[in-house]
């Protein structure tokens, strides 16, 4: 869990305050649960949304959006939003956090497999990452733009398969995620499918700069399995001359996935 410290919307109807009512000594930040009717998934989808104190105290200001995946784990969402609130006091700008609640990680985070052997580890339904991208682009983003003051700049953080999805979404869309925080990404999936994807990605003609922050740890079986393909990706990036790809990598002194 400590590794999440490397980073760092609220209900469908915004609570409004007049400037005259605002107490400069009071903290107005809010976290709320929102349900969006999704045509992509043909059901309601849940979001956890954090809105910073500054949103209410600066009514003309727009805010960057941070997408956090696996927000069904309330402890992860609280941990990340708490760190961002703390860091925004001195080190980073405040931002809106959109926690995407995941119902089926293999289905929502994984790309289609290329090898039959992959099905020995991951059972269908799986490989529907494009549906989640559609849900974000066609439903979550329009919802946010209608209801909140957002900048056209999005960050994303994912861990393990969540980081695998964030990588895929950034690679395959022009402007969905500008900054990607990838904690122990699973690039071992499907015979290192994402190592091959990075080989092609660094040669692509990008219209917008993409930034990647990679981090992983030591120790357990997951970290050992994911370490080799991640290092292969780092080597690909080291020798890439694509000026539109910016990246950083940190090996954390943490011994659990």
């Amino acid at each position: 869990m400590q590794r999440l410290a490397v980073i760092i919307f609220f209900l469908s109807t915004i609570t409004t305050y007049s400037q005259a009512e605002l107490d400069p000594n009071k903290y107005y930040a809010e976290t709320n649960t929102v349900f969006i009717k999704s045509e992509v998934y043909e059901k309601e989808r849940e979001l956890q949304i954090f809105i910073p104190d500054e949103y209410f105290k600066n009514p003309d200001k727009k805010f960057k959006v941070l997408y956090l995946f696996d927000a069904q784990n309330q402890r992860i969402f609280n941990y990340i939003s708490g760190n961002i609130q703390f860091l925004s006091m001195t080190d980073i700008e405040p931002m809106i956090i959109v926690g995407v609640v995941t119902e089926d990680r293999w289905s929502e985070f994984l790309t289609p497999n290329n090898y039959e052997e992959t099905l020995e580890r991951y059972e269908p339904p799986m490989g529907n990452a494009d549906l989640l991208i559609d849900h974000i682009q066609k439903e979550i983003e329009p919802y946010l733009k209608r209801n909140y003051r957002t900048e056209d700049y999005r960050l994303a953080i994912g861990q393990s398969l969540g980081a695998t999805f964030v990588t895929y979404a950034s690679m395959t869309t022009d402007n969905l995620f500008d900054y990607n925080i990838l904690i122990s990404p699973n690039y071992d999936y499907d015979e290192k499918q994402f190592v091959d994807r990075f080989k092609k990605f660094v040669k692509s003609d990008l219209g917008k700069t993409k930034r990647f922050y990679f981090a992983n740890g030591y120790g357990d079986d997951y970290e050992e399995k994911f370490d080799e393909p991640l290092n292969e990706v780092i080597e690909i990036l080291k020798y890439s001359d694509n000026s539109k790809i910016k990246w950083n990598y940190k090996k954390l002194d943490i011994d659990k996935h």
Side-chain angles (χ1 to χ4, degrees):
M1 182 63 72
Q2 293 178 2
R3 74 191 59 204
L4 296 178
V6 299
I7 59 153
I8 312 150
F9 275 37
F10 53 109
L11 49 164
S12 55
T13 302
I14 300 175
T15 302
T16 58
Y17 305 89
S18 71
Q19 287 300 102
E21 295 173 335
L22 291 182
D23 182 345
N25 298 314
K26 184 177 178 181
Y27 191 59
Y28 290 92
E30 293 183 355
T31 299
N32 295 279
T33 301
V34 173
F35 291 91
I36 295 180
K37 186 175 181 181
S38 171
E39 293 184 3
V40 172
Y41 286 104
E42 299 182 339
K43 59 182 175 180
E44 284 193 332
R45 294 277 296 186
E46 181 181 346
L47 303 174
Q48 294 290 326
I49 298 180
F50 167 78
I51 207 78
D53 179 65
E54 291 81 2
Y55 187 93
F56 302 103
K57 293 180 177 177
N58 298 287
D60 297 323
K61 179 178 173 57
K62 292 185 177 182
F63 292 79
K64 292 183 174 66
V65 175
L66 170 66
Y67 278 85
L68 171 63
F69 294 90
D70 280 323
Q72 71 278 3
N73 188 324
Q74 194 68 49
R75 290 173 294 181
I76 291 178
F77 182 84
N78 290 342
Y79 186 76
I80 297 300
S81 63
N83 270 278
I84 289 177
Q85 291 175 70
F86 179 75
L87 292 171
S88 66
M89 295 172 63
T90 55
D91 297 322
I92 65 173
E93 62 183 284
M95 62 187 75
I96 294 169
I97 304 172
V98 178
V100 180
V101 171
T102 306
E103 299 178 7
D104 186 330
R105 301 181 87 244
W106 290 358
S107 175
E108 295 179 33
F109 289 160
L110 289 175
T111 56
N113 61 296
N114 297 319
Y115 298 91
E116 287 295 323
E117 293 79 3
T118 301
L119 298 177
E120 297 175 6
R121 169 67 179 86
Y122 303 93
E123 297 178 359
M126 55 174 283
N128 297 305
D130 287 309
L131 284 182
L132 183 54
I133 292 174
D134 282 348
H135 175 52
I136 294 169
Q137 291 184 314
K138 298 177 181 179
E139 296 172 338
I140 298 178
E141 276 295 305
Y143 171 80
L144 298 177
K145 286 180 169 61
R146 286 195 306 269
N147 290 282
Y148 313 120
R149 304 190 309 274
T150 60
E151 288 187 24
D152 190 23
Y153 190 97
R154 288 163 291 276
L155 305 88
I157 178 170
Q159 182 180 9
S160 194
L161 286 181
T164 310
F165 168 76
V166 170
T167 304
Y168 177 69
S170 187
M171 283 180 165
T172 56
T173 62
D174 290 332
N175 60 358
L176 183 53
F177 300 138
D178 302 275
Y179 196 105
N180 307 272
I181 302 169
L182 308 166
I183 313 301
S184 296
N186 179 355
Y187 295 153
D188 186 65
Y189 168 68
D190 195 39
E191 304 294 327
K192 302 181 183 179
Q193 178 187 131
F194 276 81
V195 175
D196 293 332
R197 286 185 179 276
F198 267 100
K199 290 177 182 177
K200 297 176 182 178
F201 181 64
V202 296
K203 298 177 182 179
S204 58
D205 184 14
L206 299 175
K208 192 174 185 179
T209 298
K210 301 292 182 77
R211 291 176 167 84
F212 300 89
Y213 182 99
F214 305 91
N216 70 337
Y218 299 88
D220 67 14
D221 290 343
Y222 285 109
E223 292 303 299
E224 290 182 2
K225 182 183 294 185
F226 297 168
D227 186 66
E228 180 181 333
L230 174 57
N231 278 284
E232 290 182 41
V233 167
I234 298 304
E235 288 300 306
I236 292 169
L237 293 170
K238 279 182 181 179
Y239 292 100
S240 167
D241 59 359
N242 194 324
S243 62
K244 293 291 184 69
I245 300 175
K246 310 295 184 183
W247 64 276
N248 199 349
Y249 168 60
K250 186 172 181 62
K251 189 76 170 179
L252 302 174
D253 188 18
I254 295 171
D255 61 2
K256 292 182 181 179
H257 182 61

